Amino acid sequence: MKIKTGIGIDVHRLEEGLELWLGGIKVEHEKGCVAHSDGDVLIHAICDALLGAAGMRDIGYHFPDTSDTFKGIDSKILLRKTVELIREKGFEIGNIDSVICMQRPKLKSLIPQMQSCLAGILGIEKEEISVKATTTEKLGFEGREEGVSAYATVLIYKAGMA
């Protein structure tokens, strides 16, 4: 079995009056992400981690923010396409560990919904997806509520490989 790991990170500025999407779900908040797509930092970090683990560059290479094709796109579509890309290379997803850094709103109660959404797209069990949320204790751009960041690590594998 061939096992590979990857790491991904995404950051977006927050602005009033925009929708906030995290982990594939809409989060009620007065601010949302300024982005070419819907700005779902968690999904973008997971896409980068999966693509990196498979040796397939990054999300911007596959889904450039200079393309009108991806303007305003639902990030769940990007995640589905990413899963298709890595599966075409023979990889399956073992597990995902991730964290969202944001001062407000508190996300703890939304994590099970995010896990279910992501599991449905990724085709893995909800228990294989860890989503954590943390504040930065009012430090940095996240703490000042100017932006949000997300980090993800993944394990992918090819069965039958040495």
Side-chain angles (χ1 to χ4, degrees):
M1 179 181 298
K2 186 173 193 174
I3 298 172
K4 298 182 86 177
T5 63
I7 185 169
I9 179 175
D10 195 38
V11 176
H12 281 288
R13 184 168 48 90
L14 292 172
E15 192 173 281
E16 287 192 25
L18 299 175
E19 292 183 345
L20 179 61
W21 289 87
L22 295 170
I25 66 166
K26 187 176 177 184
V27 176
E28 291 303 318
H29 192 50
E30 67 270 8
K31 294 181 179 180
C33 291
V34 176
H36 186 71
S37 66
D38 66 6
D40 190 323
V41 293
L42 180 56
I43 285 183
H44 296 174
I46 292 169
C47 287
D48 256 357
L50 290 168
L51 291 165
M56 299 178 71
R57 300 187 66 168
D58 61 31
I59 191 173
Y61 177 80
H62 293 276
F63 315 111
D65 65 4
T66 55
S67 171
D68 287 341
T69 303
F70 307 112
K71 180 78 173 148
I73 196 167
D74 182 337
S75 292
K76 293 185 289 293
I77 295 168
L78 302 180
L79 185 56
R80 278 187 199 96
K81 289 179 186 259
T82 298
V83 171
E84 288 172 12
L85 288 170
I86 70 161
R87 287 199 172 130
E88 285 172 9
K89 287 191 74 174
F91 288 105
E92 293 297 326
I93 301 166
N95 74 300
I96 294 173
D97 186 21
S98 64
V99 62
I100 303 166
C101 299
M102 184 174 205
Q103 195 64 39
R104 282 187 325 110
K106 297 294 185 191
L107 301 172
K108 180 180 177 180
S109 65
L110 301 174
I111 289 173
Q113 190 178 349
M114 291 180 199
Q115 288 173 296
S116 293
C117 178
L118 294 168
I121 297 165
L122 297 166
I124 62 176
E125 297 296 319
K126 180 179 169 179
E127 293 74 25
E128 301 302 330
I129 303 168
S130 170
V131 177
K132 300 175 298 291
T134 189
T135 69
T136 59
E137 301 295 328
K138 300 187 180 182
L139 298 172
F141 69 91
E142 298 104 334
R144 290 187 303 270
E145 300 182 37
E146 297 169 356
V148 56
S149 63
Y151 304 81
T153 62
V154 301
L155 181 140
I156 62 174
Y157 64 92
K158 278 187 186 180
M161 298 294 293

